[in-house]
Amino acid sequence: MTFLAPEFIPRHIALVMDGNGRWAAERGLRRTEGHRRGEAVLMECVDACLEMGTVEWLSAYAFSTENWRRNADEVRFLMGFSRDVLARQRDELHAKNVRIVWAGRRPRLWRSVIREIDKATELTRDNTGLTLAMCINYGGRAELVDATRRLVAAAQEGSVRPGDITEDTLSQWLYLPDMPDVDLFLRPSGEQRTSNFLLWQSAYAEMVYQHKLFPDFTKQDMFDAVLEYAQRDRRFGGAVESN
Ligand code: IPE
Ligand code: IPE
Ligand code: MG
């Protein structure tokens, strides 16, 4: 990726790790086998970002606030799996200077998952390379509801004046106030929807949808997505004068 100038490389990539169940079904395996495969693929995606050099944030959608609707066995697997991936990968990520952070809602999330999140974030808190946001029990609407609750409470106690609230102040109440806006919103698996991922932060994201299922996803697919992103004309509501 050295042939792309840094201004064409996204600062923040949002990745919807989707298609694990279909990948497994195509092989006559249980859905959980697809999730298992995703672990190594996520690590490849981290490596791809590190190789590009100027990607600052990778946000990985691991479990949504809607995924509790799945059957109890799959939910149990996904909770245990999230906990184990954090435990298994944190040292290697730390060695790569990756800072791990978490975005999501605390209630319902397994305590053991929170424990591993705390360990991983504590271990890597001073790292200065890529920031990897693990989005576990995350929902864009839930995030806005949680921000609103805290903001209204602050207004009631008098520390915030409603008329002073701006887009910038609201974003300070989100799960990760230092998270930059999403530049590239990347979803494999053929689905073309956000599924409630980083709604606020993706207001002007470039959407890139790929057909491959996440367990088959490779570094090259991420590079291809960035190449597609680099060709987009981002206007942010402005207009390009035609002379
Ligand atoms: C994404 O793969 C992983 C999670 C949602 C946790 P899916 O499990 O949604 O796989 P498909 O979309 O059913 O193939
Ligand atoms: C989005 O995928 C959530 C994650 C990848 C964690 P889903 O598979 O849950 O989304 P839908 O149901 O296809 O919209
Ligand atoms: Mg899915």
Side-chain angles (χ1 to χ4, degrees):
M1 292 302 291
T2 45
F3 48 92
L4 269 186
E7 64 264 32
F8 292 111
I9 294 189
R11 183 176 170 212
H12 182 186
I13 300 175
L15 174 66
V16 182
M17 303 187 285
D18 195 23
N20 301 349
R22 279 163 284 170
W23 182 92
E26 281 174 4
R27 287 158 182 78
L29 303 169
R30 285 192 311 228
R31 295 177 55 82
T32 48
E33 291 310 308
H35 300 317
R36 268 190 225 287
R37 259 299 274 247
E39 178 174 355
V41 179
L42 173 60
M43 292 307 121
E44 276 223 17
C45 293
V46 167
D47 287 342
C49 291
L50 293 171
E51 282 177 31
M52 286 186 272
T54 54
V55 179
E56 294 173 25
W57 281 66
L58 173 66
S59 294
Y61 206 6
F63 190 93
S64 77
T65 45
E66 288 71 43
N67 287 149
W68 297 104
R69 294 183 187 147
R70 297 189 178 195
N71 82 47
D73 282 344
E74 187 171 353
V75 167
R76 210 174 300 126
F77 175 87
L78 287 168
M79 282 294 122
F81 185 63
S82 300
R83 174 196 63 213
D84 296 345
V85 168
L86 287 161
R88 265 196 297 270
Q89 302 297 340
R90 68 166 170 257
D91 288 339
E92 194 172 326
L93 290 166
H94 182 47
K96 291 177 176 169
N97 197 23
V98 172
R99 181 174 73 114
I100 302 167
V101 295
W102 166 62
R105 201 175 235 183
R106 211 164 259 268
R108 273 189 106 171
L109 192 53
W110 282 14
R111 254 202 301 272
S112 60
V113 177
I114 293 175
R115 218 167 21 238
E116 292 305 327
I117 287 169
D118 288 345
K119 278 193 212 162
T121 52
E122 181 58 31
L123 175 72
T124 62
R125 60 184 296 171
D126 296 323
N127 289 349
T128 54
L130 180 74
T131 294
L132 173 64
M134 293 300 297
C135 302
I136 308 171
N137 199 22
Y138 175 87
R141 288 185 168 186
E143 179 174 36
L144 290 167
V145 168
D146 291 349
T148 305
R149 284 183 184 158
R150 294 191 298 128
L151 192 47
V152 170
Q156 278 174 338
E157 73 182 29
S159 56
V160 170
R161 287 208 336 221
D164 291 341
I165 297 170
T166 63
E167 292 183 8
D168 282 343
T169 38
L170 202 149
S171 66
Q172 291 310 303
W173 295 84
L174 299 176
Y175 294 136
L176 296 168
D178 63 333
M179 177 186 276
D181 281 352
V182 173
D183 299 302
L184 167 59
F185 188 107
L186 173 57
R187 183 167 190 165
S189 94
E191 308 299 353
Q192 304 195 350
R193 54 178 171 260
T194 66
S195 298
N196 202 15
F197 192 36
L198 298 176
L199 298 181
W200 172 274
Q201 299 87 343
S202 297
Y204 269 99
E206 294 297 329
M207 316 302 283
V208 173
Y209 298 110
Q210 293 176 336
H211 280 279
K212 248 191 208 177
L213 303 173
F214 189 66
D216 285 330
F217 196 74
T218 62
K219 252 190 216 178
Q220 189 57 49
D221 292 314
M222 179 155 284
F223 294 151
D224 289 347
V226 170
L227 284 173
E228 187 171 337
Y229 165 85
Q231 287 161 21
R232 300 279 176 90
D233 182 12
R234 300 187 79 189
R235 290 191 288 276
F236 299 99
V240 181
E241 301 295 333
S242 56
N243 283 328

